[in-house]
Amino acid sequence: MKKRKLNKELGLFDVYAISTGAMFSSGFFLLPGIAAAETGASVYLAYLASGLLMIPSMLSVAELSTAMPKAGGTYYFLDRSLGPMIGTVGGLGSWFALIFKSAFALIGMGAYLSLYVNVPITQLALILTVIFGVLNIYGAKETTLLQRILVATLLGIMTVFIIQGLSVVWGSEATSTYSEYSDFFRNGIHGFTYTIGLVIVSYAGLTKVTSVAEEVQNPDRNIPLSMILSLFTAAIIYVLGVYIMLNVLNPEEFYASLTPVADAGKKFLSWLPGSWGVTAVVVAAVAAFASTGNAGIMSASRYPFAMSRDELISPRFSKLGKTGTPSFAITVTIILMAVVLLVFDVEAVAKLASAFQLILFGLMSLAVVVMRESKIDAYSPGFRSPLYPWVQIAGMLIPVWLIAEMGLMPVSLTGIMIVLCIVWYFYYAGEKIERQGAIFHVHERLGRKRYEALEYELMSILNEKNGEDKLAYEQVVARSVIRDISESKKLLDECTDITAEIFSGRTNKGTDEIKHELQKQYKTNTYNIGKGVVICQIGYEAITTAEMVGFRINKSGDKLSSEIDEEKHTLIFLITPVEAYGLDMRLVGHLAEIVNQPSFLQRWYEAKSEKQLREVLISDEHFIHLFISENEFLNRQKGKKIGDVNLPGDCLVAIIYRDEDLIIPHGDTVLEAEDELTIIGNPDAIRELKA
């Protein structure tokens, strides 16, 4: 079954809005007073320490997201690194934890709105759940438009809150209540560390953007940059905002307050007309809770979507609606949120889910270690965590320490959730899932086995990440030479002889030198990209463009050469410029995506000519064959040099078939009336040329 792909519609500010919006709700508008009651005046330092302790997890998640920008985020990373059983734990656990946290956020939003709307809080939260759910079904871009508005409103009001608050606290006539807090560490160091574990969940939303990574444009840049900006934004607002509350609220008032931001605002925003100051704070709170609820629904629905694509839950969850969103997954998510709102004590369960989130943070740091130590060539993150492996070791130890501070009840319930996820895995998917994680590649280095299908998948992800390189790939395939060859005991020698002769004609290297290099590189630099296709890649300094030669091996009664596996039916040699860093793996990634399509083998075996074989390796929407005499636009171009022809968009002539000759065109190649052209370009430009 062909897997459905989500549209890449989210830019940098969209991603920033999702990760920032997912952090601001109860952590700032509800929790500070409760946290201060535990640790005293050091509460703002607890928020600062929590932000710093999030850095190892953030760096690990950013690396995984740029290497594997796929829907499902945490689930996908754990599945592909530690295996599908751990992936099931991460996926189902993250889904339910986000459902509870999002429901809690909408309860908070309903509580604030109930000050102005005479509707019961739970009913209001249910209405909001349906509204945000419908918006998510309508489209990711529309959802993030609302997210941008909510986050911009929140940050604007909080900026005024902090600037005005600091001017009052540090002003010449300041009357701070800070000295009234008798103990800086109210309950000692233990109370301070407990508070860190309590408030670190305020930053947990930072990593939720990974669940929509598949929809992010330029993920190598936008995901890590947005996470860094979001963490910096949240830390500044949390630390300064809580510091202001300490200085304008007396201890008894602060410790007992469930609306500390609004209470603090009353103290220094009175210069605004009437109750506008408090109203502005309420608007910010509503925007915060709304952005958390909205981003939570969007992120949560991507977990079952990704798990369904991998056959860990019902295939219905992977179906996309007319708007390109996983509508069934979103619908089930909002139904479960409604059940949670009606049945559970949402606040209590949301806090318990925090322990599960900490476990996931530790596992994702472990996932980075496994992926790096697997030595998979196709693991190519656009962002690499610095100070490896020390950052990851810290990322694994910090959650263990914080969970130990949370007490027996959260740990016990988290353990029950993990057991239930494992039971589901073995009940529903255990016997039919053959996929394994990168940890098998670590085992292979220790003398055990590996799971090669993961390499094919990571190569395909390289293709999806580098969509802007597709035209370069089409050019390489269009120029390639692909031959049918009969298997024999000297098959590798025959292939390298032919390839060396072709490459020699396109480079300044001698045939013998190239053949020697091909045979050497075949032993050390060959990839099995799936479906029986093997590719050998070598780099040369003296070339400026990539070249490719391929062989479709026709089976006969003779046994294959010992150098080529009997199960492999296609051998491809790829030569790339050394200075074009990363081009080799991007081209291999494009090939892997084509090769692993369900229809590839049938089309490959049915191709009857070199021309048709090339077409199989090019996506149908990126090329077209046209006779000059049969196309009105091209007919007007006959007799002209290709360099003087203005084709639509980014189209270019890759090959000219003239009589029995195949011509690789240059700018001064003249078009003749009977020429057949192979033209490549982006889909819109190809459609324009057809018209």
Side-chain angles (χ1 to χ4, degrees), residues 108 111 134 141 154 160 187 208 229 251 253 263 295 342 344 369 384 410 420 429 453 528 535 559 590 641 651 667:
V134 171
K141 194 65 177 178
L154 167 66
V160 173
N187 290 312
K208 295 310 173 197
L229 292 174
E253 184 181 10
D263 292 342
L342 293 171
F344 292 94
V369 175
R384 284 186 174 267
L420 291 176
N528 179 353
I535 185 166
K559 188 175 180 179
H590 289 301
K641 295 180 179 179
C651 284

Side-chain angles (χ1 to χ4, degrees), residues 171-194:
S172 57
E173 299 180 1
T175 56
S176 173
T177 61
Y178 189 80
S179 59
E180 298 180 25
Y181 293 83
S182 57
D183 295 318
F184 190 73
F185 293 108
R186 190 180 188 195
N187 290 312
I189 296 299
H190 175 74
F192 181 71
T193 56
Y194 174 85

Side-chain angles (χ1 to χ4, degrees), residues 600-617:
F600 171 76
L601 281 179
Q602 181 178 352
R603 295 177 63 207
W604 187 247
Y605 286 132
E606 290 177 353
K608 294 183 172 25
S609 65
E610 182 176 334
K611 175 181 171 183
Q612 291 180 0
L613 286 168
R614 273 196 297 269
E615 291 174 1
V616 174
L617 295 178

Side-chain angles (χ1 to χ4, degrees), residues 399-413:
V400 173
W401 169 53
L402 293 176
I403 290 172
E405 296 288 334
M406 296 182 73
L408 181 62
M409 183 63 71
V411 175
S412 300
L413 292 179

Side-chain angles (χ1 to χ4, degrees), residues 180-250:
E180 298 180 25
Y181 293 83
S182 57
D183 295 318
F184 190 73
F185 293 108
R186 190 180 188 195
N187 290 312
I189 296 299
H190 175 74
F192 181 71
T193 56
Y194 174 85
T195 305
I196 292 174
L198 180 66
V199 302
I200 198 172
V201 298
S202 304
Y203 296 93
L206 176 67
T207 62
K208 295 310 173 197
V209 71
T210 60
S211 66
V212 296
E214 188 172 329
E215 298 158 86
V216 177
Q217 301 166 356
N218 191 7
D220 288 352
R221 169 183 177 269
N222 289 340
I223 291 178
L225 181 57
S226 67
M227 292 176 68
I228 292 169
L229 292 174
S230 293
L231 181 60
F232 181 78
T233 300
I236 290 292
I237 292 178
Y238 281 148
V239 174
L240 294 181
V242 172
Y243 177 76
I244 291 169
M245 296 175 208
L246 279 168
N247 280 273
V248 300
L249 299 174
N250 60 55

Side-chain angles (χ1 to χ4, degrees), residues 31-200:
L31 198 57
I34 299 171
E38 184 64 38
T39 192
S42 60
V43 62
Y44 70 96
L45 293 182
Y47 274 91
L48 177 61
S50 296
L52 295 175
L53 292 177
M54 276 296 298
I55 292 177
S57 295
M58 180 193 71
L59 294 174
S60 294
V61 171
E63 174 170 327
L64 293 169
S65 298
T66 60
M68 298 176 281
K70 301 290 286 183
T74 302
Y75 152 71
Y76 192 87
F77 306 152
L78 297 182
D79 184 283
R80 284 355 184 231
S81 58
L82 303 176
M85 185 180 74
I86 303 300
T88 301
V89 172
L92 291 178
S94 295
W95 186 27
F96 288 115
L98 259 181
I99 285 172
F100 282 115
K101 284 183 173 293
S102 300
F104 182 44
L106 294 182
I107 283 285
M109 184 178 177
Y112 274 88
L113 287 176
S114 66
L115 298 175
Y116 300 93
V117 181
N118 189 23
V119 177
I121 293 175
T122 300
Q123 290 183 23
L124 200 52
L126 286 170
I127 294 170
L128 293 169
T129 299
V130 174
I131 291 173
F132 289 134
V134 171
L135 185 61
N136 271 269
I137 290 173
Y138 187 69
K141 194 65 177 178
E142 290 72 17
T143 304
T144 51
L145 173 61
L146 173 63
Q147 194 70 14
R148 291 199 300 267
I149 294 172
L150 292 173
V151 170
T153 301
L154 167 66
L155 295 181
I157 295 174
M158 285 298 95
T159 299
V160 173
F161 177 89
I162 287 173
I163 292 174
Q164 181 65 27
L166 290 177
S167 67
V168 170
V169 172
W170 294 340
S172 57
E173 299 180 1
T175 56
S176 173
T177 61
Y178 189 80
S179 59
E180 298 180 25
Y181 293 83
S182 57
D183 295 318
F184 190 73
F185 293 108
R186 190 180 188 195
N187 290 312
I189 296 299
H190 175 74
F192 181 71
T193 56
Y194 174 85
T195 305
I196 292 174
L198 180 66
V199 302
I200 198 172

Side-chain angles (χ1 to χ4, degrees), residues 17 320 379 426 648 691:
L320 299 181
Y379 179 70
F426 282 108

